[in-house]
């Protein structure tokens, strides 16, 4: 006869086994795991434009892009920045542009609905700088309405208060090639030659090609921009040729052997635009490699063709290892061993851009992608170290040396406020976000609570140590970041549920007795935002409106994050939120699909808060498995 406890535990065990089987079946023969990284349609729209500009559109299945864009249009007529937002202006304008470039007439019903949506939100004049930039390349917007980017910026020394290395890695790798394009201000003839006059609410003849004023000190940048434009009109631009040459050399030097630049599509698209502006031959090896890299980011199905903004094999593989081991798979299981050895091969022992602000550091980190030797990051490196620590490999000595190198690199990357950023050290000149070009507010890479928490979790989970003074600095920083409600902001995941979960895991491992009060407040906040269905969810709009902290439809990944945080808090304080945890586990078990997977439509990854979001297609699988595995460990 079954007891009540066995009835409760069996569905949990079955859910775990089913999830493990599902993930194991998806491992690549080379050893890694890698799933789609989904964003909004602007990335694909911009790729269509690039191929039209280069004349390579006939050699790619771009006719499938039309079907993809049509499938993503919402009832409002617009295209979304993230799932469920109803439509966003700039994304919609770029999708409309791409459809026109693909030959869809303005009279098409889908285009008419899109036009009504766009005009109702202010039209092209209200779009972001990067949308206007892409339109300017084909004469659908005037270059006068874009900020100037003087090429001599490339020549500013590294110790000067303003230089390219004060930009975040992603802004730097995307901006350097644009110094060339903004200098040349090309207008390309494409086939078909389109106009977008119908998308100007005020009428194209009434457009004021000017940068918007804020009415505060940041308008000083507009005055500077007017000076730059005057110098351009007079053809008086000091060191123009030298700046262009330096930018071109920088681009060439940072291309991976695989053709990638920085492992992200914006840097890759912009670099290809720069090469086009410099009149590179289409058959130049640099160009051919660049297009091959773009093709590697494409996903083609029977009906659709779309472009990913990035690829995440290192990140996905490390998390799957942790999920499998946390849920009971043996650390020396063949799949774990193969994945661990693949990760070891991906450690980067080259010096990258990070060394400019961190000359004392030595290589030993991991990047997010297959290849990205110039831009490894702290978050990936910490997660990989924890994954390797959980695995038992044939050559444990080799593994330990790799982890030691990683620890030394991470320790050298600590920022002055005490925390860690993603890619650089002390990359925190916030005024850069106020320049007209920086309207995505993503020009810098300051230390954040979630990345700092990951480092501390790594130290605690792997029994590693750093200088005690620096450890205290990091903890002080982290505690000061706790919000009045008890939660923590999530920079790289949506949002406060993500940040709070990570910090609770860190504090529970580093010094649970000392930080019981802070841990308890964080756990109490998590319990307070549990949904009636037992799950947790948080909308991306919480970045725009803090009153939406922890509010949103339940998702498997965010439910898992909340559970992981509550389990850590319970282990640290001895006070488990049993009812909330049980309801959360029941939510995961009941929403699991027959094949062992989960599904969520919502975007729970963050690129740039308020401006760019991601759906990691594996988040809905490995985070629930971690949560269920850790829950099983405390109830068994």
């Amino acid at each position: 006869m079954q007891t009540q406890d066995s009835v409760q535990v069996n569905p949990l065990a079955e859910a775990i086994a089913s999830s493990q089987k599902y993930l194991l079946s998806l491992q690549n023969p080379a050893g890694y795991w890698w799933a789609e990284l989904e964003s909004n349609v602007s990335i694909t729209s911009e790729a269509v434009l690039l191929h039209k500009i280069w004349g390579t559109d006939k050699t790619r299945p771009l006719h499938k892009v039309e079907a993809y864009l049509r499938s993503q249009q919402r009832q409002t007529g617009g295209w979304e920045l993230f799932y469920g937002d109803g439509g966003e202006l700039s994304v919609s304008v770029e999708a409309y542009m791409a459809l026109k470039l693909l030959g869809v007439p303005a009279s098409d019903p889908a285009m008419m609905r899109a036009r009504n949506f766009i005009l109702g939100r202010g039209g092209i004049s209200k779009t972001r700088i990067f949308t206007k930039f892409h339109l300017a390349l084909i004469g659908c917007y005037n270059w006068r309405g874009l900020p100037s980017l003087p090429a001599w910026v490339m020549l500013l020394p590294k110790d000067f208060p303003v230089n390219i290395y004060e930009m975040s890695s992603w802004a730097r790798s995307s901006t350097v090639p644009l110094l060339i394009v903004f200098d040349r201000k090309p207008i390309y003839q494409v086939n078909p030659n389109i106009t977008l006059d119908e998308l100007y609410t005020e009428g194209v003849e009434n457009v004021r090609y000017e940068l918007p004023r804020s009415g505060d000190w940041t308008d000083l940048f507009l005055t500077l921009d007017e000076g730059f434009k005057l110098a351009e009109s007079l053809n008086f631009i000091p060191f123009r040729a030298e700046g262009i040459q330096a930018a071109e050399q920088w681009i060439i030097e940072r291309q991976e052997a695989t053709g990638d630049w920085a492992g992200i599509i914006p840097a890759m698209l912009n670099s290809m635009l720069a090469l086009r502006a410099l009149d590179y031959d289409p058959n130049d090896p640099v160009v051919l490699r660049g297009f091959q890299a773009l093709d590697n980011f494409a996903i083609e199905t029977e009906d659709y063709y779309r472009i990913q903004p990035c690829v995440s094999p290192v990140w996905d593989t490390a998390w799957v290892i942790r999920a499998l081991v946390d849920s009971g798979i043996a650390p020396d299981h063949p799949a774990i061993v193969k994945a661990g050895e693949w990760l070891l091969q991906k450690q980067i022992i080259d010096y990258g851009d990070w060394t400019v602000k961190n000359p004392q550091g030595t290589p030993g980190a991991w990047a997010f992608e297959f290849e990205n030797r110039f831009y490894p990051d702290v978050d990936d490196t910490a997660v990989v170290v924890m994954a390797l620590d959980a695995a038992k490999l044939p050559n444990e000595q080799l593994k330990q040396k790799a982890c030691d190198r990683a620890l030394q690199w991470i320790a050298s990357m600590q920022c002055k406020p005490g925390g860690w950023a993603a890619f650089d050290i002390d990359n925190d000149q916030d005024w850069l976000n106020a320049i007209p070009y920086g309207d995505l507010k993503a020009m810098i890479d300051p230390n954040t609570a979630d990345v700092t928490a990951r480092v501390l979790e790594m130290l605690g989970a792997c029994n590693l140590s750093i200088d005690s003074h620096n450890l205290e600095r990091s903890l002080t920083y982290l505690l000061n970041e706790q919000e009045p409600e008890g939660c923590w902001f999530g920079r790289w995941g949506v949002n406060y549920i993500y940040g709070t979960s990570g910090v609770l895991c860190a504090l529970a491992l580093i010094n649970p007795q000392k930080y019981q009060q802070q841990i308890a407040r964080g756990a109490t906040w998590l319990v307070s935002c549990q949904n009636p269905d037992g799950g947790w969810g948080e909308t991306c709009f919480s970045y725009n409106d803090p009153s939406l902290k922890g509010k949103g439809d339940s998702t498997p990944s965010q439910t898992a994050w909340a559970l992981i945080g509550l389990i850590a808090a319970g282990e640290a304080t001895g006070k488990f939120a049993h009812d909330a945890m049980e309801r959360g586990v029941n939510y995961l078990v009941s929403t699991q699909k027959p094949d062992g997977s989960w599904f969520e439509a919502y975007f729970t990854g963050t690129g740039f808060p308020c401006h760019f979001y991601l759906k990691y297609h594996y988040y809905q699988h490995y985070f629930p498995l971690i949560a269920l595995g850790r829950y099983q460990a405390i109830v068994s």
Side-chain angles (χ1 to χ4, degrees):
M1 179 178 178
Q2 288 184 321
T3 66
Q4 185 178 2
D5 285 343
S6 65
V7 172
Q8 292 175 338
V9 169
N10 282 339
L12 173 61
E14 291 171 4
I16 289 172
S18 182
S19 176
Q20 291 171 338
K21 182 178 179 181
Y22 177 78
L23 283 172
L24 287 169
S25 72
L26 297 176
Q27 187 176 25
N28 186 280
Y32 60 82
W33 280 269
W34 170 37
E36 180 178 354
L37 189 58
E38 181 182 350
S39 67
N40 65 73
V41 302
S42 61
I43 296 292
T44 300
S45 300
E46 291 163 12
V48 169
L49 175 65
L50 180 78
H51 283 299
K52 288 288 183 177
I53 288 172
W54 273 96
T56 52
D57 51 305
K58 301 301 182 185
T59 58
R60 271 79 181 175
L62 296 189
H63 62 283
K64 294 185 179 182
V65 172
E66 178 185 341
Y68 165 65
L69 291 175
R70 287 182 182 275
S71 75
Q72 295 300 304
Q73 189 178 24
R74 299 302 177 229
Q75 290 184 347
T76 60
W79 284 264
E80 294 177 323
L81 185 65
F82 56 86
Y83 177 82
D85 75 3
E88 196 271 342
L89 175 61
S90 293
V91 175
S92 299
V93 168
E94 294 191 29
Y96 186 99
M97 171 200 70
L99 286 171
K100 262 204 155 181
L101 288 172
L102 292 169
V104 180
S107 58
D108 185 284
M111 300 291 272
M112 294 173 66
R113 290 192 295 117
R115 184 165 65 252
N116 289 335
F117 174 89
I118 290 166
L119 293 176
R121 282 157 179 77
I124 287 174
S125 295
K126 296 295 184 181
T127 59
R128 63 192 178 192
I129 291 296
F130 284 103
T131 297
K132 292 172 179 173
F133 157 66
H134 286 99
L135 300 186
L137 291 170
I138 51 174
C140 292
Y141 190 77
N142 196 298
W143 281 97
R144 294 199 314 271
L146 292 167
S148 295
L149 291 178
W152 49 257
V153 169
M154 282 299 301
L155 306 177
L156 296 174
K158 297 171 184 177
D159 56 354
F160 195 72
V162 182
N163 65 81
I164 62 170
Y165 296 99
E166 294 299 336
M167 299 180 191
S168 61
S169 62
W170 55 87
R172 183 187 321 130
S173 58
S174 299
T175 300
V176 169
L178 290 187
L179 295 175
I180 297 171
V181 184
F182 274 62
D183 177 85
R184 295 289 193 265
K185 295 179 174 54
I187 300 176
Y188 297 105
Q189 295 297 313
V190 294
N191 184 21
N193 187 30
I194 68 168
T195 67
L196 297 176
D197 293 356
E198 68 272 22
L199 299 186
Y200 287 95
T201 301
E202 68 271 44
V204 68
E205 68 281 357
N206 299 317
V207 177
R208 300 177 65 181
Y209 295 105
E210 59 185 17
L211 299 169
R213 291 188 173 271
S214 303
D216 56 27
W217 70 269
T218 61
D219 287 344
L220 290 172
F221 293 118
L222 301 186
T223 302
L224 280 174
D225 190 73
E226 291 169 358
F228 293 149
K229 284 183 167 59
L230 176 61
E232 290 174 357
S233 68
L234 298 173
N235 197 26
F236 182 69
I237 307 174
F239 304 107
R240 178 182 185 181
E242 293 88 344
I244 294 295
Q245 184 179 8
E248 179 183 4
Q249 182 179 353
W250 195 93
I251 294 168
I252 300 303
E253 288 175 349
R254 278 160 181 75
Q255 187 181 34
E256 301 284 352
T258 52
D260 303 64
W261 282 279
I264 54 174
I265 280 291
M268 294 160 68
L269 292 175
N270 292 351
S271 295
M272 294 297 290
L273 288 171
L275 297 177
R276 180 69 177 85
L278 291 170
D279 295 321
Y280 269 63
D281 189 283
N283 293 313
D284 188 288
V286 174
V287 175
L288 293 175
R289 286 198 301 269
F291 274 122
Q292 182 58 57
L294 289 170
D295 292 341
N296 290 340
F297 278 44
I299 294 178
E300 183 179 3
T301 67
E302 184 177 349
D303 301 312
Y304 302 143
Y305 184 80
R306 59 189 182 273
I307 307 293
Q308 300 174 91
C310 191
V311 293
S312 54
V314 170
W315 183 252
D316 284 338
T317 300
W319 278 112
V320 173
I321 289 175
R322 296 190 70 193
L324 292 173
V325 175
D326 280 359
S327 61
I329 295 291
D332 60 352
H333 185 283
I336 301 295
V337 170
K338 197 161 193 178
E341 292 180 332
W342 183 84
L343 285 175
L344 286 177
Q345 295 170 9
K346 289 298 173 182
Q347 189 172 31
I348 299 169
I349 56 174
D350 294 323
Y351 286 88
D353 275 10
W354 54 268
T355 193
V356 171
K357 300 193 74 171
N358 178 20
Q360 73 275 14
T362 54
W366 279 266
F368 190 67
E369 306 87 353
F370 285 107
E371 302 296 336
N372 191 359
R373 60 196 168 100
F374 286 97
Y375 300 106
D377 69 277
V378 173
D379 211 3
D380 272 276
T381 302
V383 174
V384 169
V385 170
M386 286 188 279
L388 291 175
D389 183 74
K392 186 177 181 181
L393 304 183
N395 192 334
E396 283 289 302
Q397 186 177 6
L398 179 66
K399 182 187 85 172
Q400 191 57 53
K401 287 182 178 179
C403 291
D404 289 343
R405 284 195 297 268
L407 175 63
Q408 292 172 17
W409 182 79
I410 288 175
S412 75
M413 292 291 288
Q414 189 173 15
C415 299
K416 290 177 182 176
W420 279 266
F423 294 90
D424 278 302
I425 181 174
D426 299 327
N427 190 277
D428 53 9
Q429 294 200 42
D430 191 49
W431 65 268
L432 287 169
N433 283 322
I435 64 176
Y437 169 76
D439 63 349
L440 297 185
K441 307 303 179 187
M443 295 296 290
I444 59 173
D445 180 18
N447 51 194
T448 61
D450 49 354
V451 178
T452 302
R454 192 87 70 207
V455 172
L456 295 178
E457 182 189 5
M458 176 200 72
L459 297 177
C462 305
N463 195 27
L464 300 173
S465 61
I466 60 173
D467 177 81
S468 59
H469 173 68
N470 289 335
L471 177 62
E472 287 303 315
R473 287 175 56 227
S474 66
L475 287 164
T476 299
Y477 164 78
L478 203 55
L479 297 178
N480 287 338
E481 290 294 302
Q482 189 169 25
E483 303 279 332
E485 301 91 336
C487 55
W488 280 268
F489 177 79
R491 165 61 180 85
W492 295 99
V494 182
N495 173 354
Y496 292 91
I497 292 176
Y498 179 84
T500 304
S501 175
V503 175
L504 291 179
C505 288
L507 295 180
L509 288 169
I510 291 294
N511 197 333
Q513 287 74 33
K514 183 176 181 179
Y515 302 114
Q516 289 216 3
Q517 181 182 356
Q518 292 86 351
I519 292 171
R521 288 179 59 220
T524 299
W525 179 82
L526 283 175
V527 172
S528 74
C529 56
Q530 187 172 25
N531 288 329
D533 62 8
W536 279 266
E538 185 172 0
T539 172
C540 297
F541 283 126
S542 64
Y543 287 103
N544 308 79
D545 181 0
S547 71
L548 297 174
K549 293 175 181 178
K551 296 179 180 179
D553 294 340
S554 297
T555 67
S557 61
Q558 290 167 320
T559 299
W561 294 338
L563 284 170
I564 291 166
L566 289 176
I567 291 167
E571 291 177 324
T573 64
K575 298 177 182 178
F576 290 92
H578 291 291
D579 180 64
M581 290 164 54
E582 184 176 357
R583 290 171 56 221
V585 167
N586 288 339
Y587 170 84
L588 290 179
V589 171
S590 65
T591 57
Q592 188 180 33
K593 296 168 69 176
D595 65 355
S597 67
W598 283 269
F599 174 77
E600 60 190 22
Y602 290 98
F603 287 32
T604 63
T606 309
F608 310 145
C610 301
H611 297 287
F612 189 72
Y613 298 98
L614 301 162
K615 178 186 173 182
Y616 292 76
H617 280 225
Y618 268 164
Y619 273 19
Q620 60 206 14
H621 306 312
Y622 50 62
F623 284 119
L625 181 56
I626 291 174
L628 295 182
R630 294 184 184 181
Y631 181 76
Q632 184 183 53
I634 65 172
V635 298
S636 60

